[in-house]
Amino acid sequence: MKISLTKPQLKVSSSQARFRVLISGRRFGKTYLCITEMMKYATKPKQKIWYVAPTFKMAKEIVWANLKEMLNQFNWIEDINETSMTITIRQSNSTISLKGADNYDSLRGSGLDFLILDEFADIDKRAWFEVLRASVADTLGKVLMCGTPKGYGNWSYEMYLKGKQDNEWDSYQYTTIEGGMVSADEIEQAKQDIDIRTFRQEFEGTF
């Protein structure tokens, strides 16, 4: 069993920037990328890794089953807590925890080595600025923000621009078709089925 990434996924994964922002169309393959990124950091000793979605329920629906399946295939699971959605990794003793940002004040107080904010355009920006940014300060932890865009007025655009202006940040923007998971015919059909603004946001990953 080996991990294989598409060219766009590999480009994001290979970045040495401390903060990475990935804006993509739907079905780009970002959930798989998120899991492989968490696994990459989990190979190091005693890492604290968080995956944060807009809600705890969304975190479970998006990534929990796939994460457990991948870790099982590699025989990495030492211990698993279904209630808190936390997995302890064999050998490294690192932990991967799934969280929801709907009650972001409850996320205070943890020093994190790696943090993912998924569908971050739907997360209250105060969760990042007031709570989670500080959680990677003392550890100099790495951060990956990813999701589909929600227009220029959303804070995701502000974060995307940082990747173009700040040396500590990298930004990436990919369409659904660049992800290689959805056929050109299906994309064309979707274009006929939904309004152009929604199509551009959901499939072309544009603000």
Side-chain angles (χ1 to χ4, degrees), residues 85-151:
M85 289 200 291
T86 296
I87 296 172
T88 304
I89 303 299
R90 185 174 284 136
Q91 293 168 329
S92 69
N93 211 27
S94 293
T95 57
I96 297 174
S97 301
L98 273 53
K99 305 286 179 180
D102 38 347
N103 180 18
Y104 58 83
D105 268 330
S106 68
L107 304 178
R108 292 181 186 276
S110 273
L112 303 176
D113 299 292
F114 182 51
L115 168 67
I116 291 177
L117 292 178
D118 196 4
E119 294 303 348
F120 76 107
D122 293 323
I123 291 175
D124 189 320
K125 67 179 184 180
R126 289 173 298 180
W128 167 248
F129 289 109
E130 295 177 16
V131 179
L132 292 169
R133 176 61 183 87
S135 71
V136 294
D138 58 335
T139 57
L140 294 179
K142 302 273 187 89
V143 179
L144 172 63
M145 299 180 180
C146 52
T148 46
K150 284 285 188 288

Side-chain angles (χ1 to χ4, degrees), residues 38 76 87 112 127 172 174 181 183:
M38 287 190 279
W76 276 20
I87 296 172
L112 303 176
Y172 302 89
Y174 291 110
M181 316 278 278
S183 70

